[in-house]
Amino acid sequence: MTPLGTCRFIPPYLLEEIGRRGGLSAELVEHQRRLDSELRHRRTDAPGHPDHPRRAARARWAVHDAGGRTELPGRPVRRDGQPESGDAGVDEAAVGISATLAMYDEVYGRASFDGEGAEVLLTVHYGRSYANAFWDGTHLVFGDGDGRIFRPFTRAVDVLAHEFAHAVTGHTAGLVYQGQSGALNESVSDVFAACLEQRVLGQSAAEGTWLIGQEIFVEGVSARALRDMAEPGTAYDDPRLGRDPQPRHMDDYVDTTEDNGGVHINSGIPNRAFVLAARAIGALSAGGSAAEGAGRIWYDALTGGSVGPDTAFSAFAAATTAAARRTGGAEHETVVREAWEQVGVTPGSRRTTPPPAPDDRLVRVSRSGGFAGLTVRGALDLDSADPRVPEVQLLVDRIDLTALARGAPQPDRFVYRFELCGDGPVDVPEQDLTRDLSELADLLLSDT
Ligand SMILES: [Zn+2]
């Protein structure tokens, strides 16, 4: 399994949220989901694959037109050194990739995403009303948006730079696209997207908007952007999108099984640490550029060997703190350490903390849904002195969570979630509760 994964710029939870809220037709959401899932099986970065990047002396990038279809890379339209094509999507991608390659070359001394000058293959006009952009391991791919919520994804130069940074990460630290390492993978892409945008606009870290995907929404959507690195959780609040779910501090870290463990959600925490570091370091240096200040520190950490596939927040913080000391001395080191501490991350151990052992004597029940949308929870430790233990133990011994017949949830009816001594969680709609499950729920929820 590759450590990179396929990054989709619009996270799956947001697509589904939009689908639920009627912003995209169900057919379109399904179509997009199918494409995304096919892509995961269509990786083409194996060296023997015909689309594997060539190392050409002259053409460092090539933009292709998929013509609304989903075959990659599509028809070649414009290469490095060629004049404008007249097609807005093609020319926006050309401008974006030129600026991105220039930043990596001039600021970080890096030749393309692999560090060896690989040609960058880009594809625009991908799919039908495709509301996303992604890197599949070989191609940077951009849809034209659905026109109702999303505009074409080539409009925003930070989208392209975000996807390109996934390619850099895949060839360097290889942060696994899951949990904390996945949130770091996402954050690093936002970091270099913001650096690129500010560099293109000639802004300092103090002047930058720190908004990611500012240009992707059509008029009338209540969204300043897709993410706000400086103020995570405030980028959008719209009836069709829901509300920006990003936390800004470890206290609010979101534990979820969706979105590969919340990679697009918890990236808000390291994103804010970067902004705090970039502003502080920018204030100490002439020009105050994020790309050349904190950006260089993050780049050194990402590529320096101490960050690997399973690096978690605290270890990444330690790597950036060490990189700050190497490049800027004690003053920069302190700034970076304080930035991480302000978001609740203490620079420290090098590896992801192991997952806690399953609570194999713990029984949990919760009830959610219902018209008011409230959740009640109950739990019982079978090793405790609680008087309910004998009765609960008897029920747990009888219940087989794997053998339950369950139908679809019904509007406004309750849904119960059971976790029995490390088994589950299993969700059961109210109408499908067995007698034993009802009794167990009554026992555990009675004191709440
Ligand atoms: Zn991404």
Side-chain angles (χ1 to χ4, degrees), residues 120-328:
V120 184
L121 302 176
L122 306 94
T123 296
V124 301
H125 304 312
Y126 175 82
R128 175 172 56 89
S129 298
Y130 190 74
N132 219 343
F134 62 86
W135 161 253
D136 73 344
T138 304
H139 309 93
L140 293 169
V141 183
F142 305 87
D144 286 332
D146 61 314
R148 292 178 59 202
I149 295 177
F150 295 108
R151 304 205 293 175
F153 281 73
T154 44
R155 292 293 289 268
V157 72
D158 54 354
V159 176
L160 187 151
H162 174 103
E163 297 306 327
F164 185 88
H166 280 305
V168 174
T169 298
H171 282 82
T172 53
L175 290 158
V176 173
Y177 206 60
Q178 176 72 40
Q180 285 201 13
S181 56
L184 286 168
N185 192 323
E186 266 305 308
S187 174
V188 162
S189 273
D190 281 351
V191 159
F192 292 107
C195 285
L196 186 272
E197 185 184 287
Q198 291 176 20
R199 191 166 192 263
V200 166
L201 298 174
Q203 294 173 329
S204 67
E207 293 162 340
T209 65
W210 298 105
L211 296 173
I212 299 294
Q214 204 176 353
E215 308 284 328
I216 62 173
F217 293 105
V218 301
E219 262 180 60
V221 178
S222 294
R224 291 184 295 123
L226 188 62
R227 287 184 285 277
D228 184 336
M229 296 178 70
E231 300 294 339
T234 68
Y236 59 84
D237 188 356
D238 182 273
R240 286 165 291 184
L241 298 169
R243 197 176 170 158
D244 179 0
Q246 283 208 314
R248 49 188 277 139
H249 192 278
M250 274 310 275
D251 287 351
D252 301 312
Y253 186 91
V254 179
D255 273 310
T256 173
T257 50
E258 292 180 349
D259 184 31
N260 297 301
V263 297
H264 292 91
I265 297 173
N266 292 311
S267 58
I269 296 165
N271 274 0
R272 184 155 169 267
F274 180 78
V275 175
L276 294 170
R279 285 176 175 163
I281 287 175
L284 296 171
S285 52
S289 144
E292 287 162 32
R296 196 191 306 271
I297 293 169
W298 257 241
Y299 179 82
D300 286 353
L302 184 74
T303 59
S306 63
V307 174
D310 60 351
T311 295
F313 286 5
S314 62
F316 190 83
T320 54
T321 309
R325 183 173 57 245
R326 283 195 302 274
T327 57

Side-chain angles (χ1 to χ4, degrees), residues 359-365 382 392 395-402 404 417-426 437 440 444:
D359 298 323
D360 58 3
R361 297 293 291 161
L362 205 59
V363 179
R364 293 179 203 268
V365 179
L382 291 175
V392 170
L395 287 165
V396 167
D397 289 346
R398 276 211 305 253
I399 293 167
D400 180 0
L401 286 179
T402 62
L404 294 173
R417 171 168 287 196
F418 296 91
E419 290 178 73
L420 309 182
C421 304
D423 289 344
V426 166
L437 288 172
L440 184 62
L444 264 73

